[in-house]
Amino acid sequence: MEVIIILLATVVLVSFLAFWTSIKPPKWPITKTPADFGMEYEKVVFQTNDGINLLGWFVPAKEDTDKTIIMLHGYPASKSDIVLMGVFLHEQYNLLFFGL
């Protein structure tokens, strides 16, 4: 009987922890910026209607262009996790990385 209670308590605890981390994931730190990959950038801020600030980086293209690609990270990553993906696009396109 004790084994069943311990097993049931373990299942409940693991289920609760999985639920909690899925709705409140830990924030991943910003570890890289476009400058780490040789790209000049400027910090930009967009404020939503409900007052949340979306922080971003605008990276102008090496060539003169009016084309911009908006780069979005997935859940629960940060924009620094996708900077490397934009390096090859930097030649011909402006890049806008943003997120919380």
Side-chain angles (χ1 to χ4, degrees):
M1 184 69 173
E2 289 179 17
V3 173
I4 293 174
I5 293 173
I6 292 171
L7 184 60
L8 184 60
T10 302
V11 168
V12 169
L13 179 62
V14 168
S15 296
F16 175 76
L17 290 174
F19 169 75
W20 186 257
T21 57
S22 69
I23 63 167
K24 296 282 188 181
K27 282 190 124 186
W28 291 16
I30 303 291
T31 57
K32 300 284 185 189
T33 68
D36 293 321
F37 299 97
M39 298 184 289
E40 293 183 20
Y41 72 100
E42 70 177 87
K43 293 180 180 180
V44 293
V45 178
F46 299 94
Q47 189 171 53
T48 63
N49 289 339
D50 56 352
I52 296 173
N53 286 332
L54 300 176
L55 308 175
W57 301 320
F58 179 75
V59 180
K62 287 185 178 179
E63 299 176 4
D64 188 30
T65 184
D66 60 350
K67 298 175 183 172
T68 301
I69 297 176
I70 299 172
M71 306 285 290
L72 301 170
H73 63 81
Y75 174 84
S78 71
K79 59 186 172 279
S80 72
D81 297 316
I82 60 170
V83 171
L84 184 59
M85 294 178 208
V87 171
F88 76 97
L89 298 168
H90 178 237
E91 294 286 328
Q92 298 177 359
Y93 301 97
N94 300 313
L95 303 175
L96 176 63
F97 299 89
F98 79 93
L100 294 176

